[in-house]
Amino acid sequence: MSDFIKDQRAQLRSLMKQKRHELDTYSLYSSSSVIFNTIASHPFLSQKRIIGSYSSFKNEIDMQNINAHLKALGHEVYLPVINSKIKGHMDFYSYDEHNLVVNSFGIKEPAALTQNKADTAKLEILLVPMLAFDLKGNRLGMGGGYYDRMLKRVSSDCLVIGIAHEFQKLQYIPVQSWDMPLDEAITEKEHYIFIKKY
Ligand SMILES: Nc1nc2c(c(=O)[nH]1)N(C=O)[C@@H](CNc1ccc(C(=O)N[C@@H](CCC(=O)O)C(=O)O)cc1)CN2
Ligand SMILES: Nc1ncnc2c1ncn2[C@@H]1O[C@H](COP(=O)(O)OP(=O)(O)OP(=O)(O)O)[C@@H](O)[C@H]1O
């Protein structure tokens, strides 16, 4: 792996964490509400049943209403659970808003009950958090490599959609061989389509 790219990504990560930290509550609220509507009216939503999503933390777009809405519509909704025994590994477990526990990062996750575990290969839509993205669909995450590893196990038919604030769009994100590109990104300003799957 190139140390140069690794350093560039680390620098960008720290800059974008800072920017997100400075976001005001009103922008977070209003952008989350616009993105709720974009996801709720996504043209493929009615054709897909099994959705991987996430619980937000630290000024990420608020996914709580979105997750509840998707579940109320009858979708199967799964959220990540970090596996503390395997480095960079997470699995998805079914979402129940009344049954979430806070993990070591301060992110709410479902209890890891075997009977509630998703078959990652069966996910049809995956909503992905990101610190930054570019118009080629490259993504910068929090740096654990969790999504890079997980996306390798997802079906090539699964629609992978990054969720972010518009200010997280950058001109160029340096990538490494294992970085998995997004199909789409949704911000409060735009619905970007990088790869037209359907
Ligand atoms: N909501 C959400 N869930 C997610 C992610 C995410 O970006 N957002 N992840 C995306 O991959 C994974 C979790 N990855 C994470 C990686 C680092 C930190 C974190 O807080 N890092 C600290 C430093 C911690 C340390 O050094 O001990 C920090 O940035 O201050 C949090 C989550 C899986 N779940
Ligand atoms: N498929 C992989 N195989 C082995 N190591 C990996 C893989 N993906 C990522 N890593 C490791 O994880 C570290 C972080 O990767 P990267 O910078 O791509 O994370 P990220 O995409 O920002 O984080 P995340 O996916 O958790 O949001 C890398 O430095 C590398 O050591």
Side-chain angles (χ1 to χ4, degrees):
M1 174 213 347
S2 152
D3 280 350
F4 180 63
I5 292 179
K6 198 175 173 181
D7 287 353
Q8 280 187 318
R9 284 176 71 87
Q11 270 186 32
L12 271 183
R13 194 171 282 123
S14 116
L15 180 78
M16 297 311 287
K17 275 188 202 172
Q18 186 56 34
K19 274 202 170 190
R20 195 169 67 185
H21 179 69
E22 288 162 6
L23 188 75
D24 64 287
T25 315
Y26 176 75
S27 302
L28 175 59
Y29 179 83
S30 66
S31 298
S32 300
S33 140
V34 172
I35 290 174
F36 175 99
N37 287 321
T38 309
I39 296 174
S41 58
H42 194 293
F44 302 137
L45 199 58
S46 58
Q47 303 160 32
K48 309 283 180 193
R49 194 166 59 90
I50 310 176
I51 302 181
S53 183
Y54 61 97
S55 333
S56 319
F57 86 137
K58 291 190 174 169
N59 284 349
E60 287 176 335
I61 293 296
D62 192 349
M63 298 298 285
Q64 197 176 322
N65 292 337
I66 296 169
N67 295 340
H69 179 71
L70 293 174
K71 187 145 182 198
L73 284 177
H75 295 279
E76 283 180 36
V77 180
Y78 296 92
L79 306 183
V81 174
I82 301 291
N83 186 322
S84 54
K85 297 196 185 94
I86 311 173
K87 185 175 173 277
H89 186 90
M90 61 183 182
D91 288 300
F92 279 68
Y93 288 85
S94 64
Y95 159 69
D96 167 3
E97 67 176 311
H98 303 296
N99 223 339
L100 297 173
V101 287
V102 178
N103 70 16
S104 57
F105 292 126
I107 307 172
K108 287 182 190 166
E109 53 184 37
L113 301 174
T114 314
Q115 68 267 30
N116 295 338
K117 190 170 170 176
D119 178 351
T120 311
K122 293 207 171 119
L123 295 175
E124 296 174 293
I125 295 182
L126 184 65
L127 304 173
V128 176
M130 47 194 191
L131 255 186
F133 68 101
D134 69 16
L135 291 179
K136 288 203 163 122
N138 295 318
R139 164 184 178 274
L140 182 74
M142 289 293 286
Y146 289 97
Y147 276 94
D148 299 327
R149 290 182 179 87
M150 184 264 169
L151 284 166
K152 297 232 157 18
R153 297 183 281 137
V154 163
S155 155
S156 57
D157 293 334
C158 177
L159 194 66
V160 181
I161 308 176
I163 309 292
H165 302 274
E166 180 69 19
F167 73 80
Q168 293 173 298
K169 182 183 83 186
L170 300 178
Q171 209 137 55
Y172 167 70
I173 295 192
V175 287
Q176 297 163 106
S177 56
W178 55 73
D179 279 310
M180 305 288 287
L182 305 160
D183 297 316
E184 304 185 358
I186 295 176
T187 74
E188 73 280 10
K189 282 262 163 60
E190 202 83 52
H191 184 168
Y192 301 95
I193 299 183
F194 310 121
I195 297 172
K196 217 166 162 42
K197 257 188 183 155
Y198 297 98

